[in-house]
Amino acid sequence: MLIRPVDRKEFERRTFPHAYDVMIYQEGGHYYARDEYGNIICVDSQTKCLREGIDYGKHIHVKGVFDLTDPITITSGKIIYIDGYISSINISNYSSDIEIIGRSRRDYHIGNLYIDGGAARHTFRDLFINNTTIRNGGHILFDSCTFNYVNLQGYDYSNLPYWITFLRSWISNRDGNAVDISMAVNILFISSVIAYSNGVGININNYGRNIKIINSIIEGNKTGIAFVGGQIPSDVVVEGTVLYANKDYGIYMNGPSIVIIRDRSHVRSSTIDILINSLNSVLIIDRESLIDSISGLDKLTYFKSDNPSYLSRNMGQATIPTNATSVTVSHGLICVPKKVLVTPLAQPPGSIWVSNITNTSFTINTSTATTTDLPVAWHAEC
């Protein structure tokens, strides 16, 4: 087989304007790996050239389409620039810190990315990735990446100090869920978009701990965030984030879950913004966040909201008028209060109690008619 030689000047013209140790590239029907001096490391086999080139250098440029039968496994610290496509990459638990950067590609840079994180710090920038699976956490940063599907699963609890971060990234899956989380911890979505998936934007199945969604957009999915099943409560903080136009629900709590919505977040879906469909869950909403509709509040173990539209606690003062034995109070809560406390602010004529507690009001009673107006302070909570 005749292989056209490549001189050093021609080789340099093909490289990126970055320092490199190895360039692995495709030309015509042939594949090459050369070192920074133009010396041949490998020729003609795409799998062999990719493996040998990556093993050879520290700073690596990959150019061309590498559609492999078996994945390439990276086991040591590398900085890899991809101007093209690699069908499958595995990053093992024992890898040193790895950085992979995408260049000049409108389609996927990586078909399938599998990471067994361990204690290493890995960084991925400007990449288009079809399917991503991460086990055992680690310090992993995706910066300005685009995904079709992300699967986060089975972290070892020893990795609790580590974070997986999606920064300025886009995730969208026309065929199902965008993100699946199962038995995973410490996940950050910052200034990211999870949108237009035919399933759930973020689906938390069984257990997901310490998930934070900050200044992001979850839009146009079938459901924005869903909690499904599990024995241990999953927890999510939604901070400064918009969940908009998700077709079924903004947030669907169908398993033990703790949801905190704060810092001017906005949840608005096409049907119900938040649906609670299981017991042993907690929902907390701050005053500045906006939610239009909540269903199933009676199933919550704990609900707290300072939002005027969805107050979970309120207080005030009522007056039992002269010659009366009761007064009805409108409490303004979104629920039927579980706790109502009353304190007479003057000597009552007899005993005092609360009755007829509904989702709009309750009644304060005295056993004997008052001889003068009796002020009573009240405090009610969901």
Side-chain angles (χ1 to χ4, degrees):
M1 181 182 297
L2 179 62
I3 306 297
R4 182 171 67 83
V6 179
D7 63 27
R8 176 168 174 74
K9 289 184 178 179
E10 185 177 353
F11 178 71
E12 288 176 343
R13 283 197 299 269
R14 291 200 185 103
T15 61
F16 298 106
H18 306 284
Y20 65 89
D21 299 321
V22 174
M23 184 170 185
I24 307 163
Y25 62 100
Q26 175 192 16
E27 184 171 294
H30 304 294
Y31 294 86
Y32 305 86
R34 291 178 179 266
D35 66 15
E36 60 187 307
Y37 303 106
N39 299 318
I40 294 175
I41 300 169
C42 173
V43 66
D44 213 33
S45 166
Q46 61 171 333
T47 301
K48 187 170 184 289
C49 287
L50 200 56
R51 285 177 176 163
E52 291 187 5
I54 289 174
D55 288 344
Y56 183 90
K58 169 74 173 177
H59 294 78
I60 299 151
H61 293 166
V62 178
K63 190 171 185 178
V65 175
F66 293 80
D67 197 356
L68 310 173
T69 303
D70 298 313
I72 290 295
T73 299
I74 304 174
T75 58
S76 60
K78 307 286 178 182
I79 299 176
I80 301 174
Y81 296 91
I82 301 178
D83 182 7
Y85 173 77
I86 300 175
S87 60
S88 187
I89 296 176
N90 286 0
I91 296 176
S92 77
N93 187 42
Y94 305 102
S95 301
S96 303
D97 299 354
I98 291 168
E99 183 172 2
I100 300 180
I101 303 165
R103 289 287 184 266
S104 306
R105 182 149 179 96
R106 295 181 181 177
D107 204 347
Y108 292 115
H109 293 95
I110 302 172
N112 295 291
L113 176 64
Y114 178 87
I115 303 171
D116 195 347
R121 295 175 181 267
H122 303 317
T123 303
F124 304 85
R125 302 182 192 277
D126 301 315
L127 290 163
F128 284 73
I129 307 171
N130 186 23
N131 295 311
T132 301
T133 300
I134 302 174
R135 291 180 58 87
N136 292 328
H139 285 292
I140 300 173
L141 170 64
F142 293 97
D143 185 355
S144 303
C145 293
T146 299
F147 304 84
N148 178 54
Y149 174 64
V150 174
N151 185 6
L152 309 173
Q153 57 178 264
Y155 295 3
D156 186 328
Y157 293 137
S158 65
N159 290 334
L160 284 174
Y162 307 142
W163 286 91
I164 293 177
T165 302
F166 297 86
L167 174 65
R168 296 185 294 263
S169 292
W170 174 284
I171 310 173
S172 180
N173 184 5
R174 297 289 185 179
D175 298 321
N177 299 337
V179 180
D180 276 317
I181 298 173
S182 178
M183 298 296 292
V185 299
N186 294 359
I187 303 162
L188 273 175
F189 298 91
I190 303 175
S191 301
S192 292
V193 177
I194 303 168
Y196 308 115
S197 296
N198 198 35
V200 180
I202 300 176
N203 185 58
I204 303 166
N205 184 5
N206 191 21
Y207 174 69
R209 181 180 174 190
N210 211 13
I211 301 166
K212 296 184 179 181
I213 307 165
I214 301 171
N215 297 335
S216 294
I217 296 172
I218 302 176
E219 178 181 358
N221 307 284
K222 193 170 187 298
T223 291
I225 302 171
F227 300 83
V228 182
Q231 300 296 321
I232 305 172
S234 300
D235 61 278
V236 169
V237 174
V238 178
E239 185 174 301
T241 289
V242 174
L243 289 92
Y244 181 74
N246 296 288
K247 298 178 184 64
D248 290 344
Y249 313 111
I251 300 174
Y252 179 45
M253 300 167 69
N254 195 35
S257 48
I258 301 169
V259 178
I260 300 173
I261 302 172
R262 65 191 186 196
D263 293 349
R264 298 183 179 179
S265 292
H266 183 181
V267 183
R268 177 174 289 175
S269 74
S270 301
T271 54
I272 298 173
D273 295 342
I274 301 176
L275 175 63
I276 301 110
N277 198 34
S278 69
L279 303 176
N280 302 320
S281 292
V282 170
L283 177 61
I284 300 173
I285 305 171
D286 77 351
R287 184 176 183 83
E288 296 180 330
S289 294
L290 177 61
I291 292 92
D292 287 342
S293 60
I294 303 175
S295 179
L297 281 170
D298 57 310
K299 296 182 174 68
L300 290 172
T301 302
Y302 179 76
F303 173 61
K304 178 183 176 183
S305 172
D306 295 320
N307 190 299
S309 299
Y310 288 96
L311 286 175
S312 66
R313 56 183 178 176
N314 204 359
M315 65 182 67
Q317 183 173 312
T319 300
I320 301 177
T322 303
N323 297 322
T325 59
S326 67
V327 63
T328 297
V329 178
S330 295
H331 53 66
L333 303 186
I334 192 62
C335 62
V336 176
K338 296 178 180 177
K339 180 196 299 185
V340 179
L341 303 177
V342 293
T343 303
L345 301 179
Q347 183 64 40
S351 58
I352 189 166
W353 73 95
V354 173
S355 65
N356 300 327
I357 300 174
T358 71
N359 60 345
T360 58
S361 64
F362 57 85
T363 301
I364 304 174
N365 306 274
T366 60
S367 58
T368 304
T370 59
T371 57
T372 184
D373 287 354
L374 175 65
V376 180
W378 61 269
H379 177 101
E381 294 183 7
C382 291

